Amino acid sequence: MTRILAISDPGSLSAALAVLRSGKPVALPTETVYGLAADATDPAAITSIYETKGRPRFNPLIAHVADIEMAKAHVRFSPLAEQLAEAFWPGPLTLVLPLSDSNQIHPLATAGLGTAAIRMPEGFARELIAGFGKPLAAPSANRSGRVSPTTAQHVADDLGGRIELILDGGRCRVGVESTILAVNGSQLQLLRPGGIPVEMIEEVTGQIVKRSTPLAGTAALIAPGMLASHYAPDAAVRLNVSEVNPGEALIKFGAFQLKGEDRAKAVMNLSPSGDLREAAANLFDMLKKADATGADAIAVAPVPEHGLGEAINDRLKRAAAPRD
């Protein structure tokens, strides 16, 4: 039976540490989405993540750390990587960096690569990692390929009965996963857009960030969230719609009325005022709610590509991609 404990509960930290030390995963809140966390140095614990999620084992996991010292025990930082960590950690930025000689992150978490994806989360998750004393691998706490969870109830709906403990920290502040950057010397490559807009990264570093494209297969998969089909609800997803078909669920953005909106099975709005931060925070919850209506398809209005819109559109394109 799955327990749900509020992070405000005085016993939540010790309960989570006990589960982690037993080699099992816990679901925990971060500022991005809820993660399914387990010891990143223990192959049995990492295997339990893959088994719980039904996740392909060629897909690497992000190792979450409590501080820069813990990160440097496992990966090598260039001056550019140091600059990024100083500017954006703790926060929704993941850096893909070369493994250090002292690295203890297990190859199951790195997919056997010579690099690791590293992030320092905010809040309770960081406190838990500090108490545990080792990095935690923590992909999103949902079945592989499905819509990511932004509340404890989302986790319970998807993984209830499969895990021992869910820690409830309320709704996630950011609502989309972290931005993932590969740092190669002075070169920056965007592997996944996310909670830190690329424009902010380029402003801080003075470097142009090279974009990557979603992968249809497994080749060159060096970070999470790079598969072309991901974040998928049961219903088909139509993007950038100007007209709604009868019986579709509609997800809007902004105040504009769409043709056929009155025929939609349900209508919800990522942000009536056109605020991209609000839209990002609402995205996964609204995809789940639209899917729960039983509509044959989910129609999504256009969302601007700038700022957090890049991450929102990335998730929507993957949700709408052809599925195996």
Side-chain angles (χ1 to χ4, degrees), residues 21 34 78 144-145 179 199 221 231 247 277 285 290:
R21 287 168 181 157
Y34 275 70
S78 66
S144 185
T179 302
E199 294 91 334
L221 190 64
Y231 315 108
R277 287 188 178 275
D285 184 56

Side-chain angles (χ1 to χ4, degrees), residues 11-281:
S12 61
L13 187 64
S14 59
L17 288 172
V19 175
L20 290 171
R21 287 168 181 157
S22 74
K24 297 176 183 176
V26 299
L28 80 170
T30 77
E31 72 275 30
T32 57
V33 300
Y34 275 70
L36 186 65
D39 186 347
T41 70
D42 179 358
I46 297 165
T47 296
S48 70
I49 293 176
Y50 286 121
E51 290 175 343
T52 300
K53 286 178 62 70
R55 183 186 178 98
R57 299 192 186 192
F58 58 76
N59 201 350
L61 305 175
I62 296 172
H64 295 71
V65 297
D67 50 45
I68 192 71
E69 289 75 20
M70 184 181 288
K72 286 182 175 179
H74 302 282
V75 293
R76 297 196 303 272
F77 279 75
S78 66
L80 182 56
E82 291 255 16
Q83 182 185 14
L84 288 163
E86 182 177 346
F88 296 111
W89 280 5
L93 177 67
T94 294
L95 301 176
V96 176
L97 301 171
L99 294 172
S100 68
D101 293 338
S102 60
N103 165 60
Q104 295 297 313
I105 298 172
H106 196 273
L108 277 176
T110 64
L113 300 169
T115 56
I118 301 284
R119 182 169 97 85
M120 186 193 301
E122 298 175 4
F124 179 86
R126 187 181 179 195
E127 182 182 358
L128 179 62
I129 299 163
F132 189 60
K134 292 182 285 186
L136 292 179
S140 57
N142 54 277
R143 286 176 291 156
S144 185
R146 302 303 297 273
V147 180
S148 299
T150 53
T151 68
Q153 188 58 53
H154 291 165
V155 181
D157 291 343
D158 209 16
L159 297 181
R162 297 187 180 194
I163 55 177
E164 185 173 326
L165 179 63
I166 299 171
L167 296 158
D168 187 352
R171 185 175 171 180
C172 297
R173 176 179 63 81
V174 176
V176 293
E177 294 86 351
S178 61
T179 302
I180 302 181
L181 284 180
V183 185
N184 301 307
S186 62
Q187 302 294 312
L188 297 177
Q189 182 180 11
L190 180 69
L191 303 180
R192 180 182 72 185
I196 300 293
V198 168
E199 294 91 334
M200 290 181 62
I201 294 166
E202 293 180 333
E203 182 178 354
V204 165
T205 63
Q207 302 289 328
I208 298 298
V209 177
K210 179 182 177 182
R211 262 66 169 189
S212 298
T213 56
L215 299 175
T218 64
L221 190 64
I222 60 174
M226 293 184 70
L227 292 174
S229 178
H230 204 46
Y231 315 108
D234 289 326
V237 178
R238 288 201 307 126
L239 303 181
N240 300 316
V241 302
S242 58
E243 182 174 355
V244 185
N245 296 326
E248 289 185 319
L250 171 63
I251 298 178
K252 298 176 60 177
F253 176 82
F256 299 103
Q257 186 87 4
L258 275 72
K259 185 177 180 181
E261 188 174 320
D262 57 326
R263 300 175 298 185
K265 187 163 189 174
V267 178
M268 50 203 76
N269 200 321
L270 293 170
S271 175
S273 66
D275 184 321
L276 288 169
R277 287 188 178 275
E278 181 183 19

